[in-house]
């Protein structure tokens, strides 16, 4: 509540904590400007702290700022500023995540699902994964079709490798 003498001038809802308040303001506009400045400062500090802990995607960072009570407008402003400074690079984050998951032995469908959950574009996955690459990975994993499907490989690639290896096995048995 903003009070002028004994009457309430305006009620302002502030969804984040402010620990130090000035003793007085000259006008209602000054109060509102001060609150927006404090919100920006809190948002920027929170964003830098989150980025220092772990590389964040735009989607992750925005949702965390909104959860802290930062307005959508201020969160967008901070995110744009961080993008200009090069601290938020979703494309590089997606590329890094794709490589990491490939090394773990996951297929394109699993990786696409993971990227979607982080709010990232999935088009890069299919550019990185060829049908032949999937087949090579499947051969190395040597496991059941169901397990390969749970790891995110395309069913066509699984059956192509498994049917080929079955044909090779049959030739060895009959030859």
């Amino acid at each position: 509540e903003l009070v002028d003498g004994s009457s309430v001038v305006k009620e302002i809802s502030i969804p984040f904590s402010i620990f130090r308040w000035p003793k007085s303001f000259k006008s209602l506009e000054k109060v509102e400007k001060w609150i927006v400045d404090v919100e920006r400062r809190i948002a920027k500090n929170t964003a830098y702290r989150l980025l220092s802990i772990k590389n964040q995607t735009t989607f992750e960072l925005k949702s965390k700022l909104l959860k802290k009570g930062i307005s959508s407008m201020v969160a967008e402003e901070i995110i744009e500023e961080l993008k200009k400074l090069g601290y938020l690079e979703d494309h590089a984050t997606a590329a890094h995540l794709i490589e990491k998951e490939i090394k773990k032995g996951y297929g394109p469908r699993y990786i696409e699902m993971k990227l979607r959950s982080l709010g990232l574009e999935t088009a890069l996955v299919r550019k990185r994964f060829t049908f032949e690459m999937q087949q090579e990975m499947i051969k190395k994993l040597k496991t059941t079709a169901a397990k390969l499907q749970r790891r995110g490989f395309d069913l066509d690639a699984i059956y192509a490798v498994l049917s080929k290896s079955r044909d090779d096995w049959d030739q060895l048995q009959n030859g």
Side-chain angles (χ1 to χ4, degrees), residues 58 61-62 65 75-83 88:
T58 301
L61 187 59
K62 185 175 181 181
L65 289 174
E76 287 291 332
E77 287 176 18
I78 298 301
I79 286 170
E80 287 306 313
E81 184 179 322
L82 292 170
K83 281 182 179 180
L88 274 179

Side-chain angles (χ1 to χ4, degrees), residues 131-143 148 153-168:
F131 191 74
E132 292 75 26
M133 182 182 175
Q134 282 190 71
Q135 289 179 322
E136 288 301 314
M137 288 179 72
I138 291 168
K139 285 177 189 174
K140 287 179 188 174
L141 290 172
K142 294 182 183 174
T143 186
L148 290 166
F153 289 96
D154 290 333
L155 205 51
D156 295 340
I158 295 169
Y159 285 138
V161 171
L162 293 180
S163 66
K164 187 176 181 182
S165 61
R166 184 177 174 96
D167 291 342
D168 293 343

Side-chain angles (χ1 to χ4, degrees), residues 20-78:
R20 288 191 213 149
W21 286 84
K23 292 185 180 186
S24 65
F25 293 96
K26 294 187 180 192
S27 69
L28 185 59
E29 292 80 29
K30 297 253 185 206
V31 173
E32 290 171 341
K33 183 187 177 320
W34 182 81
I35 290 171
V36 170
D37 289 345
V38 168
E39 182 180 20
R40 275 196 187 97
R41 190 175 68 245
I42 290 171
K44 192 181 282 191
N45 289 342
T46 302
Y48 281 123
R49 185 178 50 76
L50 290 169
L51 287 170
S52 73
I53 295 168
K54 173 188 164 270
N55 194 13
Q56 307 278 327
T57 65
T58 301
F59 176 77
E60 287 177 306
L61 187 59
K62 185 175 181 181
S63 62
K64 288 177 182 178
L65 289 174
L66 294 175
K67 202 180 226 182
K68 292 269 186 193
I70 303 300
S71 70
S72 183
M73 181 187 76
V74 171
E76 287 291 332
E77 287 176 18
I78 298 301

Side-chain angles (χ1 to χ4, degrees), residues 114-125:
K114 190 159 190 171
L115 290 176
R116 266 190 228 101
S117 74
L118 297 172
L120 296 170
E121 284 294 317
T122 60
L124 191 59
V125 175

